[in-house]
Amino acid sequence: MNNVIEVNGLKKSYGSHIVLKGISFNIARGEIFALLGANGAGKTTALECIQGLRKYDSGTIIIDGKAGIQLQSSSLPAHIKPMEALQLFARWNKTNVPGYVIDTFGIKEIKNKQYAQLSTGQKRRLHLALALTGSPDIVFLDEPSAGLDAEGRVLLHRQIHKLKEKGKTIVLASHDMAEVEALCDRIAVLNNGNIVFCGTVQELACKTGGKYYIHITTEQGIDTYETEDIGGTLFPVLASLNQQGTVISGIKAGKGTLEQNFIEITGRAGK
């Protein structure tokens, strides 16, 4: 596999507090990869070390390609206009503003507005456009859809998929498990300073055990059943609902959401 990022034995401490205990993982070229972890797990520290924003104690980080970073707390001067910001970033990178960046992120629609006048969604689009101005091979996105409405999230996800189609590698940090599940090829789960899982969402579901979740939708709402035997649980429930005359409008069964499996593996690792 052609890796663009290789992290080996990465350690980081703040005084006597050990945050990263020698983590190792790789990110392949052209994939969308997420590093997941609860607050305090060391996720942000790990990403900042990889991005070159923070010094680490030991280990190695190899990056094959140019990186662009979209930080969650990105901010610009209140009176700067989007095209002025893009041209400024392009000058820093000694390049021109890529045409696809202007078109993909709707910069023409907001070019006459000042930064302070932009909505949250428009600022998110501009921040991502700025991260891409230097034509990076690897794009780091920190909580990219935070504060966006449903339509803004859909548009952003579509744009992220287009970046993948262009061969970009996307490294994502997000607390939104549904977003990660929808976007990512692979994930790494960080817990108590260690990587406790690295692979696909489906592989995580298999690793957490044989639990299944059955969701039955009726006019009263959605009831969820946790089980290790779908048939043994589903058929008696259906029979009971039928006897009660309850109308069923939907049935969904699977090995749990990413959020459920994340909680399972981090809880298990902490025991």
Side-chain angles (χ1 to χ4, degrees):
M1 185 177 289
N2 186 5
N3 295 321
V4 293
I5 296 177
E6 296 183 2
V7 178
N8 295 293
L10 182 64
K11 294 183 179 181
K12 173 63 180 178
S13 298
Y14 297 106
S16 60
H17 177 50
I18 302 174
V19 179
L20 303 176
K21 302 175 182 178
I23 64 172
S24 300
F25 61 91
N26 299 325
I27 300 176
R29 189 178 305 279
E31 76 172 338
I32 303 178
F33 184 93
L35 182 61
L36 305 180
N39 290 334
K43 177 180 79 273
T44 299
T45 295
L47 288 176
E48 288 178 346
C49 290
I50 295 169
Q51 293 163 355
L53 300 176
R54 188 173 299 279
K55 293 182 178 180
Y56 49 95
D57 301 331
S58 62
T60 60
I61 299 172
I62 300 174
I63 299 180
D64 182 13
K66 186 177 181 180
I69 303 172
Q70 177 257 311
L71 299 174
Q72 182 182 1
S73 59
S74 300
S75 187
L76 293 167
H79 301 298
I80 197 170
K81 295 181 179 180
M83 281 303 302
E84 294 173 340
L86 285 169
Q87 290 165 354
L88 179 61
F89 273 59
R91 183 171 299 179
W92 284 340
N93 285 281
K94 299 180 180 179
T95 186
N96 296 317
V97 179
Y100 83 89
V101 168
I102 297 174
D103 296 333
T104 300
F105 299 103
I107 302 302
K108 289 181 181 179
E109 302 168 8
I110 58 174
K111 66 178 182 179
N112 294 322
K113 289 187 175 183
Q114 296 179 342
Y115 183 75
Q117 298 172 318
L118 301 180
S119 68
T120 299
Q122 290 169 336
K123 288 179 179 179
R124 286 285 178 194
R125 295 205 321 256
L126 176 58
H127 296 162
L128 185 49
L130 293 172
L132 293 168
T133 299
S135 298
D137 307 295
I138 308 160
V139 183
F140 290 91
L141 304 179
D142 189 358
E143 302 289 347
S145 64
L148 297 185
D149 58 19
E151 182 180 3
R153 286 163 54 88
V154 170
L155 291 174
L156 179 64
H157 290 182
R158 189 178 302 157
Q159 290 159 352
I160 290 174
H161 280 298
K162 286 182 179 179
L163 292 177
K164 177 181 170 66
E165 291 172 2
K166 291 181 178 292
K168 307 293 184 185
T169 301
I170 312 295
V171 183
L172 184 70
S174 175
H175 285 94
D176 187 335
M177 295 295 177
E179 175 173 76
V180 171
E181 193 165 11
L183 289 174
C184 293
D185 300 303
R186 289 192 308 133
I187 61 174
V189 178
L190 187 61
N191 191 58
N192 294 326
N194 294 300
I195 297 291
V196 295
F197 173 81
C198 188
T200 66
V201 171
Q202 292 75 20
E203 288 169 344
L204 176 58
C206 293
K207 185 179 178 66
T208 54
K211 289 185 179 180
Y212 292 87
Y213 294 85
I214 302 171
H215 309 278
I216 300 179
T217 304
T218 68
E219 56 189 5
Q220 283 79 36
I222 301 176
D223 290 323
T224 299
Y225 303 85
E226 183 179 324
T227 180
E228 295 184 0
D229 179 5
I230 290 181
T233 300
L234 179 60
F235 296 134
V237 170
L238 293 180
S240 175
L241 292 174
N242 184 55
Q243 288 180 349
Q244 298 169 23
T246 303
V247 177
I248 299 172
S249 58
I251 300 174
K252 182 179 179 181
K255 282 210 167 189
T257 64
L258 174 57
E259 183 173 11
Q260 289 166 328
N261 294 322
F262 171 82
I263 292 171
E264 175 74 15
I265 197 167
T266 53
R268 178 183 300 173
K271 292 179 181 177

